[in-house]
Amino acid sequence: MSSERSSTPPARSPLVLAGLLGVMILAGMAIPGQGRVNAALAAETGDPYLAALLSFAIGFVVIYVIAFLTPAGRRTMARVRPAIRSGAVKWWYLLAGCVGGYFVLTQTLTIGMIGVAVFTVAVVTGQTVGGLVWDRVGLGPTGRRRISPLRFVGAILTVVAVTWAVSPQLAGSDRELIWLLLVILPFSGGFLNAGQQALNGRQSAAYRSPIPATFFNFGAGSALLLLVWVGKLIVAGGVPGQLPTAWWYYIGGPLGIVFIAVGALLVTQVGVLVAAMGMIAGQLLGSLLLDVVVPAPGSVVTVATVLGTVMTLVAVVVAALPDLMRGRGK
């Protein structure tokens, strides 16, 4: 990885940036949909580890078909070996999908104890801090990017907006130190997730396609979750019962493909921070729409929820202003 370079995207018109923002939001909206589906599958099977494994494995099968059974997929997969030989892609970039497996594990290990609202704030804070750090060290395909005042303000606004949006669910929380320590897990998951998107973007730039990076993400994540699930069976025992038959229980993986593939492309266009923030806005907007249209037990929609979601969109625009005004965000 040549983190010393400092390439930046070309100047972009307001219309192009608006289009990119729309794509970020749509990609981010796939995440709450995936979470809702995986949670329902976990409830049906009584095994959240198996639900996570099934989600990744089904996603892996779908991306395998795209990568090896379509002409475009085969062409892009043929670029992997030359990219590794040339040094444009390091072999360990291919393990970025393990972060996705770790992220899912943080969900299953902590949400039941700290709640969805605190989990969301911790993850978003980790993603935002990670976006700043990974952009600064040059992990993404656009190289090192300076932490300008507008980017920093936009990052702070994102954390504040998400906290505001979930504040109705935070009211009355009274927890002990162990509860606070558990928050470190989703924070680290969000932080590493931003790094995962940076590496995916670097691979997409090298392959000129997000297909190989998405394939390796699902392969590595599936392998990690398979090991964890087998280990859980050995230690705790318990064979899952009958799997649900409704098709929609199994679309979590394909939704993940949308998030990973589109996210990998976005990082090459706007950098790690702005891509992460735009997809965070999509996460909140998607969650809001789900809570309005098909509310889950315990979901809360208030004025704070709506205004906090709107504020995330403002934060993304603020962070993207350097690209809009100067065409340079480093």
Side-chain angles (χ1 to χ4, degrees), residues 108-178:
T108 60
L109 292 172
T110 64
I111 282 183
M113 298 184 69
I114 66 177
V116 175
V118 176
F119 178 87
T120 301
V121 172
V123 167
V124 166
T125 303
Q127 288 174 320
T128 306
V129 173
L132 286 169
V133 171
W134 302 130
D135 264 349
R136 187 67 189 101
V137 302
L139 187 65
T142 57
R144 288 185 177 180
R145 310 190 72 173
R146 183 173 63 86
I147 303 177
S148 66
L150 283 175
R151 288 182 181 278
F152 184 77
V153 170
I156 296 299
L157 280 177
T158 299
V159 177
V160 172
V162 173
T163 304
W164 189 16
V166 303
S167 59
Q169 301 170 59
L170 295 173
S173 295
D174 182 19
R175 308 289 181 174
E176 299 176 355
L177 179 61
I178 185 66

Side-chain angles (χ1 to χ4, degrees), residues 24-117:
M24 294 180 220
I25 292 172
L26 289 175
M29 289 175 68
I31 301 175
Q34 180 190 44
R36 184 72 70 87
V37 169
N38 286 347
L41 181 58
E44 286 291 319
T45 61
D47 188 342
Y49 294 91
L50 176 62
L53 173 59
L54 287 174
S55 177
F56 263 78
I58 292 170
F60 179 68
V61 171
V62 173
I63 193 62
Y64 179 91
V65 170
I66 295 172
F68 292 103
L69 299 185
T70 66
R74 288 193 295 270
R75 282 196 302 270
T76 57
M77 292 302 293
R79 298 171 189 154
V80 173
R81 217 172 262 180
I84 294 176
R85 279 200 301 264
S86 69
V89 173
K90 308 297 184 184
W91 67 267
W92 53 272
Y93 293 5
L94 308 184
L95 302 179
C98 292
V99 172
Y102 173 73
F103 181 80
V104 171
L105 288 180
T106 66
Q107 287 179 313
T108 60
L109 292 172
T110 64
I111 282 183
M113 298 184 69
I114 66 177
V116 175

Side-chain angles (χ1 to χ4, degrees), residues 206-259:
Y207 308 138
R208 303 191 303 279
S209 168
I211 292 175
T214 307
F215 171 78
F216 290 117
N217 267 249
F218 275 91
S222 297
L224 175 64
L225 288 171
L226 177 61
L227 289 174
V228 171
W229 184 63
V230 170
K232 177 250 182 187
L233 289 181
I234 295 173
V235 173
V239 178
Q242 187 174 0
L243 295 175
T245 56
W247 63 269
W248 62 268
Y249 282 102
Y250 305 100
I251 64 173
L255 288 174
I257 290 176
V258 173
F259 170 70

